[in-house]
Amino acid sequence: MSMNRIKLETGAVRVPFTTGMTGEEADGRAVKKASDRIRRITGAVPENLRVARKSIDARRGEISFVYTVYGEIEADGKRVSKILRSAEESGEIRIHSDPVLEPKRGDRPLNFRPVIVGFGPAGMFAGLLLASEGYSPLILERGGSVEERTAAVERFIRDGILDPECNVQFGAGGAGTFSDGKLTTRISDPLTAWVMQTLRTLGAPDDILYKSKPHIGTDVLRQVVKNADAKIRSMGGEIRYHAAARGIGNGRLTACGEQIPYDALILAVGHSARDTVGELIASGFAVEAKPFSVGVRAEHLQKDIDEALFHEHAGDPSLGRGEYQLSYRRGDRGCYTFCMCPGGVVVPSASEEGGVVTNGMSERARDGVNANAAVCVSVHPSDFGGSPLEAIAFQRELERRAFEAGGRTYAAPFQTVGDLMEGKSGSDWGRIVPTYRNGAVVPADFGTLLPPFAVEMLREGLADFGRKLKGYDRADVPLTGIETRTSSPVRILRGEDGRAVGRAAEGIYPCGEGAGYAGGIVSAAVDGVRTALKLMEAYRPAEQV
């Protein structure tokens, strides 16, 4: 009788947390439970068991570790398949498949190497795949290298001197380089596992492969980006920094005074490349406005968040720093937390002169005193007129108001939750010190800076969050703003073949967050890979002509 090796993964395996339990002990108990379950269902002894996913469930005051475990069995395939079908219906175990990339190459020859505009997650992963397949891409990034960006961001934080071309938004790795390096995603795509494994080979920590809320940390992510740069170059690709692409369309563009022709171009600009979007609209590309969000950054003491989630177990090393995700909805309007950074800081994220923008950032250790998260309210096209240029103008106006309220020095306006609720201005912080630019904040009234619908929803949302997470809406919690860059306000339309729509758009493949097709590091990277696959389906490398 022939035997087959079958890869399996379990449904949820729960291990109740007990005081003093180490992470390794919890992992061992989960693997033992998974082994017993697989053996009970299949009758076979599982091999190569490993943790595939791990999360913490702290709901209802009871803390448990929740696992998915991978394993393999050798058994008669016909007999086991019948058992597995019934097991999958109950959710106890499932068949597991490893991610496999199988690029297909088109017949149409490339006369020029493919060009990628933007070296954020989408452009980076498109570049990694194209370079590995012999396409020798040329990548143009308007910002600087990791080292140059780090110096520019540190100067901005310290002195309030903004470089509009090299900042938190523009440069190697995109906006994600100066964030928590969060890899949590809501998309369900088989390419996600391939992206995560690739990040691991580039130097990301092992635990990103199994944690339910993986993160790299901005300090480690900078090295990952540098390694991606080196990898692409080693495989024949070229990356040019300080190379803003202008006049894109009709098979050519200009960068650094040089005219560059292309047959195929991947447009992977980030959500802050407003000038590029304006040029595309003027050239006849089909671009539409899409919903986005605006709001503020809320800061709490990390120990308060830990206590609200873990109660008497707060501070236990095996539980780590507490994280949350909260949402509130009334009608078609939502208020939600976004980009929660345990032990992090609020980082100045302007990319245009005369505007203040906030974001969050954590390092790998997440050992800062404060936790922060964006508290955002959904914005619909009907709120700003409906066109893509009006969407951008809406964001810019809020950023300009924040700049004025901060004294035109890139200090940020702030207000406590208590004063926001009561409509007061002139807040001062107490036990929670705002971290934006080391405390470069100015008391203000968000009731006059944000649209009335946003202020109303912030008040309702914060009150609701306080009911869900004790202390979230404490009166002394500082709010810093403005948060406007949660996602792109526009979408650059593309067809089923991945190509842009409109005159002058021949051979252009929009992708990633700036094009309106992603909302974070992983989803942008996945979209970059998928777009590169589309390009390869249409063309073969120039060197094979």
Side-chain angles (χ1 to χ4, degrees):
M1 180 182 297
S2 63
M3 302 292 283
N4 297 296
R5 179 162 287 270
I6 301 173
K7 295 182 178 181
L8 304 171
E9 63 180 74
T10 67
V13 175
R14 303 184 72 90
V15 177
F17 171 80
T18 57
T19 302
M21 174 187 287
T22 66
E24 291 76 12
E25 289 172 339
D27 294 353
R29 294 183 191 182
V31 169
K32 175 65 167 58
K33 283 189 171 185
S35 177
D36 292 344
R37 179 187 297 182
I38 293 171
R39 191 169 188 171
R40 169 176 56 80
I41 293 172
T42 68
V45 177
E47 302 173 351
N48 301 324
L49 289 158
R50 64 182 177 86
V51 173
R53 183 166 299 143
K54 180 179 181 180
S55 62
I56 297 174
D57 183 355
R59 294 173 295 178
R60 296 179 295 276
E62 298 177 357
I63 303 174
S64 294
F65 295 104
V66 184
Y67 293 85
T68 298
V69 178
Y70 287 164
E72 299 177 3
I73 60 170
E74 285 248 346
D76 172 8
K78 184 176 180 181
R79 181 178 67 84
V80 172
S81 293
K82 183 177 180 180
I83 298 172
L84 293 182
R85 280 196 298 272
S86 61
E88 285 189 326
E89 291 176 0
S90 69
E92 289 193 278
I93 57 175
R94 300 179 292 272
I95 297 291
H96 169 74
S97 298
D98 291 321
V100 178
L101 270 188
E102 298 179 341
K104 298 176 182 178
R105 297 192 178 190
D107 296 325
R108 185 176 176 182
L110 281 170
N111 296 304
F112 311 101
R113 55 183 170 170
V115 175
I116 300 173
V117 179
F119 194 50
M124 180 188 304
F125 273 81
L128 284 164
L129 182 55
L130 288 174
S132 71
E133 293 294 319
Y135 283 77
S136 304
L138 168 63
I139 302 175
L140 305 175
E141 169 54 52
R142 70 187 299 169
S145 65
V146 168
E147 294 86 353
E148 291 170 319
R149 288 188 76 189
T150 300
V153 171
E154 289 177 351
R155 183 169 59 252
F156 187 34
I157 292 172
R158 183 182 64 248
D159 303 325
I161 299 173
L162 173 67
D163 182 344
E165 293 297 327
C166 189
N167 45 60
V168 167
Q169 306 294 349
F170 299 147
T177 301
F178 291 89
S179 70
D180 184 61
K182 279 176 287 294
L183 304 179
T184 305
T185 181
R186 295 179 181 178
I187 66 170
S188 178
D189 192 303
L191 291 176
T192 299
W194 187 86
V195 165
M196 301 294 268
Q197 290 175 0
T198 300
L199 284 168
R200 174 64 192 89
T201 66
L202 293 171
D206 290 340
D207 61 18
I208 70 166
L209 298 180
Y210 61 82
K211 281 192 173 180
S212 65
K213 295 181 179 179
H215 86 107
I216 299 176
T218 189
D219 49 338
V220 178
L221 186 55
R222 293 173 195 172
Q223 186 60 51
V224 170
V225 173
K226 290 169 66 175
N227 292 345
D229 175 307
K231 183 70 172 178
I232 290 170
R233 294 178 193 273
S234 73
M235 296 187 294
E238 180 183 354
I239 303 172
R240 299 182 189 176
Y241 294 113
H242 307 291
R246 304 297 183 194
I248 300 170
N250 297 314
R252 61 180 57 84
L253 61 84
T254 301
C256 302
E258 177 187 351
Q259 192 170 90
I260 300 173
Y262 63 83
D263 301 306
L265 180 148
I266 292 179
L267 189 64
V269 296
H271 57 44
S272 295
R274 294 163 170 171
D275 50 356
T276 302
V277 171
E279 286 188 1
L280 296 176
I281 292 172
S283 298
F285 284 66
V287 182
E288 67 180 14
K290 59 178 275 295
F292 57 99
S293 301
V294 299
V296 294
R297 278 269 155 186
E299 292 194 80
H300 298 78
L301 295 179
Q302 182 64 53
K303 68 180 184 64
D304 289 348
I305 297 299
D306 294 346
E307 289 171 2
L309 291 170
F310 304 139
H311 310 293
E312 70 273 16
H313 301 298
D316 191 297
S318 64
L319 297 176
R321 313 308 296 272
E323 299 179 65
Y324 61 81
Q325 184 174 335
L326 302 166
S327 64
Y328 166 78
R329 190 159 205 89
R330 175 167 55 80
D332 64 351
R333 191 84 70 184
C335 180
Y336 64 98
T337 62
F338 173 79
C339 184
M340 191 265 162
C341 298
V345 298
V346 178
V347 62
S349 302
S351 59
E352 295 178 341
E353 293 179 342
V356 163
V357 183
T358 57
N359 194 10
M361 181 173 77
S362 296
E363 295 196 338
R364 174 66 183 172
R366 289 178 161 177
D367 56 0
V369 173
N370 288 4
N372 74 77
V375 182
C376 291
V377 174
S378 53
V379 177
H380 306 308
S382 59
D383 294 320
F384 52 77
S387 76
L389 292 179
E390 287 172 310
I392 292 171
F394 182 91
Q395 288 181 322
R396 276 182 170 148
E397 173 59 18
L398 297 184
E399 294 165 14
R400 184 197 64 78
R401 292 181 190 177
F403 181 72
E404 296 289 338
R408 303 176 61 84
T409 62
Y410 295 103
F414 100 101
Q415 186 177 26
T416 62
V417 167
D419 283 354
L420 176 72
M421 295 297 196
E422 296 180 15
K424 297 179 181 179
S425 60
S427 300
D428 198 1
W429 69 74
R431 65 194 190 101
I432 307 171
V433 180
T435 55
Y436 176 95
R437 287 192 54 213
N438 302 313
V441 296
V442 175
D445 181 4
F446 286 117
T448 64
L449 300 181
L450 289 167
F453 72 81
V455 177
E456 184 179 354
M457 283 298 291
L458 278 177
R459 288 170 176 156
E460 293 181 22
L462 287 165
D464 180 73
F465 300 164
R467 290 187 286 271
K468 294 173 177 174
L469 189 63
K470 183 180 178 181
Y472 199 88
D473 61 342
R474 280 184 56 141
D476 63 349
V477 169
L479 307 172
T480 307
I482 298 287
E483 188 92 9
T484 54
R485 310 284 182 93
T486 57
S487 65
S488 174
V490 304
R491 179 171 290 112
I492 303 170
L493 301 186
R494 64 188 184 188
E496 289 296 319
D497 59 0
R499 299 188 186 193
V501 178
R503 67 180 189 272
E506 178 66 26
I508 293 178
Y509 295 77
C511 72
E513 194 160 349
Y517 295 98
I521 292 174
V522 173
S523 60
V526 166
D527 200 52
V529 172
R530 192 166 299 285
T531 300
L533 291 170
K534 292 275 189 183
L535 186 153
M536 286 188 283
E537 287 176 8
Y539 299 97
R540 68 175 187 265
E543 62 266 28
Q544 294 187 9
V545 176

